[in-house]
Amino acid sequence: MSDVTIYWRPGCGYCSRLRSSLGSAADKATWRNIWEDDEARRYVAGVNNGNEIVPTVVIAGAAHTNPDPDVVLAALAS
């Protein structure tokens, strides 16, 4: 299982940009759709002051809101 989890939702341009920027490395992450996963939605709201901001990326247990794709790529490469 990946140490990188990406919380996303359909129609999110930032989520699409992140996925595209990751290229084939995107398959190494665990992707959770907050519109289909209530636990994921609650998690994202919990780490973003009640807001459902995506992408929220968890790397080694630390949440990053809309991180630079290079940060996520580096985590997926390690």
Side-chain angles (χ1 to χ4, degrees), residues 1-74:
M1 179 175 246
S2 173
D3 201 23
V4 176
T5 301
I6 301 172
Y7 295 87
W8 70 287
R9 66 167 173 76
C12 169
Y14 296 105
C15 299
S16 296
R17 185 195 84 170
L18 177 61
R19 185 182 285 271
S20 174
S21 296
L22 297 178
S24 62
D27 293 338
K28 295 179 182 178
T30 301
W31 292 78
R32 295 183 68 183
N33 180 345
I34 68 165
W35 282 359
E36 294 180 353
D37 183 335
D38 288 335
E39 180 184 341
R41 180 182 303 128
R42 285 190 298 274
Y43 176 80
V44 167
V47 298
N48 289 297
N49 298 315
N51 298 303
E52 295 177 1
I53 301 172
V54 289
T56 293
V57 181
V58 178
I59 300 170
H64 304 267
T65 303
N66 197 17
D68 185 295
D70 289 338
V71 171
V72 182
L73 274 171

